[in-house]
Amino acid sequence: MVTPDELEKRFTLLTATARYDDLRAREALASWARDDSGETGDADPYTPPPLTREEALEALALGEVIARKAAYGRQLAVRSARAAGASWSQIGAALGTSKQAAWEAHSRWIDDQAERHRRDGYSGMDEQYSAAARVLAGELDAGPTPDDDGAPPPVR
């Protein structure tokens, strides 16, 4: 059986989403051709077959891989924004959340990356890298910076 941990090593975000999209499109086309009983009956011979159990589980695992890789990419973008001088208010606004929620999520991510490295010795961030990430993240802003308009993030 395929697992997200196994697939995460084999797929990039781009290839995982392409494979996921292929499986979901095939399932959508196959389910459209089924009647209410679940049988395909006299379906168009060009209609793809429904997903096998293994493919359905692969699609589920790929969804998890995509979520993980997207979350990792999001935190790398947060790190880049901090390195470019963005305040936590600006980052929160860009994420559609508060500065506190953005800072807390990024701090938890750094802690998680450090823990991953402590567990297996190769993934995540080692002590030196996680310490540097914490310095870059800094403390939660006490107030708006001179280039920050102080406006709250948009309401979703």
Side-chain angles (χ1 to χ4, degrees), residues 1-7 10-11 54-55 57-59 61-62:
M1 183 171 87
V2 68
T3 66
D5 290 339
E6 175 190 328
L7 293 179
R10 290 184 9 214
F11 286 96
E54 291 77 19
E55 289 170 325
L57 290 169
E58 179 186 2
L62 282 167

Side-chain angles (χ1 to χ4, degrees), residues 65-85:
V65 168
I66 292 165
R68 288 179 186 183
K69 288 186 179 287
Y72 186 81
R74 177 184 187 185
Q75 294 308 320
L76 291 178
V78 167
R79 185 171 181 265
S80 294
R82 285 296 291 175

Side-chain angles (χ1 to χ4, degrees), residues 12 30-31 36 51 63 74 79 81 93 98 104 107 110-111 122 149:
T12 65
S31 66
D36 292 335
L51 299 182
R74 177 184 187 185
R79 185 171 181 265
S98 69
E104 287 174 357
S107 295
I110 294 169
D111 292 343
Y122 67 90
D149 64 9

Side-chain angles (χ1 to χ4, degrees), residues 2 19 23-24 26-27 30 34 48-60:
V2 68
R19 174 68 176 153
L23 291 171
R24 298 311 312 152
R26 200 176 102 213
E27 179 59 21
R34 279 182 253 171
L51 299 182
T52 64
R53 177 181 17 205
E54 291 77 19
E55 289 170 325
L57 290 169
E58 179 186 2
L60 188 59

Side-chain angles (χ1 to χ4, degrees), residues 29-118:
L29 290 171
S31 66
W32 175 77
R34 279 182 253 171
D35 62 22
D36 292 335
S37 69
E39 297 297 320
T40 54
D42 294 326
D44 181 342
Y46 299 106
T47 300
L51 299 182
T52 64
R53 177 181 17 205
E54 291 77 19
E55 289 170 325
L57 290 169
E58 179 186 2
L60 188 59
L62 282 167
E64 177 60 22
V65 168
I66 292 165
R68 288 179 186 183
K69 288 186 179 287
Y72 186 81
R74 177 184 187 185
Q75 294 308 320
L76 291 178
V78 167
R79 185 171 181 265
S80 294
R82 285 296 291 175
S87 70
W88 282 108
S89 293
Q90 293 167 324
I91 292 168
L95 294 172
T97 189
S98 69
K99 66 182 181 179
Q100 181 171 344
W103 182 82
E104 287 174 357
H106 191 65
S107 295
R108 280 191 306 271
W109 177 77
I110 294 169
D111 292 343
D112 179 59
Q113 293 300 307
E115 179 58 29
R116 288 176 74 137
H117 189 77
R118 276 192 290 277

